[in-house]
Amino acid sequence: MNPHATNLITAVAAKLALQDSFTRLRQRRLKASPNDLIWSYSRQRERRLSCLHQQLQQDTFHFNPIKQIRLSDGMWVSTYEPDDQIVLSRLKAELTPLCREALDLSHASHLSGNGGLKGAVTKTKQFAERNRFVFKTDIANYYASIDHKIMQRQFNQVVTDPRVRRLVWESMERVHVCNGAYRHIKGKGISRGSALSPLMSAMYLAPLDAYAKANNIDYVR
């Protein structure tokens, strides 16, 4: 076990790292509406980031209810308040290298450094040329089908810090708000819009990746 994983919250809550995450978030939101929460947060950033640092260190931080927005194509996405986006970004930054160290996530094409869609297509073409049959499949509503207890067990194999474990769990067992109605998401499903979700979706299928590798199956996902 990496000793860094036992006191991970110190790295997650580092003041300079929180400031950097805020700066990146503000840069992404430069074209946001004048009513976007990022602008009021910017005016109070020193106080807000200092408070966020203390809450994380003292294990008193809790995620806010997540606003649900329906896009023109009918898909629902989650929008987070600035504090929540910063914390999720910090969790992703610290958890990703630990998870890559503990698990073989090389098959997860969507993760940075794994080739992306172009790399997946190239590899698929190579495999198709040397095989007689190709089997293509998909998981219906993959994000919505992810079991929270299984997902948490996978994270717990990597991280021993109970404060980070709680944050990961709370990011899944979240509250959605839509048109004034609040709904507690329990047991199953991860959020579209969370910075952690791509890592979660990569980890969740790691046992399938391992099976394909152990059985010498040409496999791309």
Side-chain angles (χ1 to χ4, degrees):
M1 173 65 69
N2 187 326
H4 173 59
T6 63
N7 188 30
L8 191 59
I9 199 67
T10 298
V12 171
K15 290 183 177 180
L16 289 178
L18 292 174
Q19 176 65 50
D20 182 63
S21 290
F22 162 74
T23 301
R24 292 173 182 270
L25 172 61
R26 187 178 183 278
Q27 187 66 30
R28 293 196 303 270
R29 302 297 296 166
L30 284 178
K31 296 183 179 180
S33 159
N35 296 323
D36 195 288
L37 292 174
I38 191 63
W39 308 124
S40 60
Y41 197 98
S42 295
R43 291 191 292 271
Q44 307 169 44
R45 62 183 178 277
E46 290 187 11
R47 180 182 65 80
R48 295 289 296 269
L49 291 173
S50 177
C51 181
L52 183 57
H53 169 76
Q54 287 186 332
Q55 289 177 330
L56 289 169
Q57 290 281 29
Q58 296 169 6
D59 197 25
T60 58
F61 175 83
H62 295 281
F63 290 104
N64 294 287
I66 306 165
K67 186 177 181 180
Q68 299 297 292
I69 296 178
R70 192 166 193 173
L71 303 179
S72 57
D73 61 3
M75 180 180 293
W76 289 91
V77 295
S78 303
T79 59
Y80 291 81
E81 294 198 18
D83 272 338
D84 302 331
Q85 289 179 288
I86 291 169
V87 172
L88 288 168
S89 175
R90 291 298 306 129
L91 287 172
K92 174 189 174 183
E94 297 301 328
L95 287 170
T96 297
L98 290 176
C99 293
R100 284 185 180 274
E101 180 182 324
L103 301 168
D104 181 3
L105 301 181
S106 59
H107 283 289
S109 302
H110 67 283
L111 288 185
S112 177
N114 286 1
L117 179 59
K118 184 177 180 180
V121 171
T122 300
K123 191 178 293 186
T124 300
K125 184 174 183 295
Q126 293 171 349
F127 289 163
E129 289 173 350
R130 72 187 192 202
N131 286 276
R132 185 176 179 185
F133 298 102
V134 174
F135 179 68
K136 179 180 181 295
T137 187
D138 190 17
I139 301 173
N141 300 314
Y142 176 46
Y143 273 26
S145 70
I146 288 178
D147 185 281
H148 292 176
K149 289 184 179 179
I150 295 174
M151 188 77 263
Q152 189 73 16
R153 282 200 300 270
Q154 289 176 302
F155 268 113
N156 289 354
Q157 292 173 6
V158 179
V159 178
T160 58
D161 190 325
R163 295 159 295 184
V164 174
R165 286 180 171 183
R166 180 187 67 79
L167 289 172
V168 170
W169 179 258
E170 194 174 302
S171 75
M172 294 186 291
E173 295 270 314
R174 60 205 185 277
V175 174
H176 282 179
V177 57
C178 181
N179 298 325
Y182 288 75
R183 183 164 64 99
H184 190 186
I185 308 298
K186 297 195 296 182
K188 186 181 290 187
I190 63 174
S191 171
R192 290 186 177 276
S194 167
L196 265 184
S197 291
L199 178 61
M200 288 181 174
S201 68
M203 292 177 64
Y204 198 71
L205 290 182
L208 179 62
D209 299 344
Y211 176 87
K213 184 176 182 179
N215 289 275
N216 295 315
I217 299 171
D218 288 339
Y219 164 74
V220 181
R221 75 170 172 97

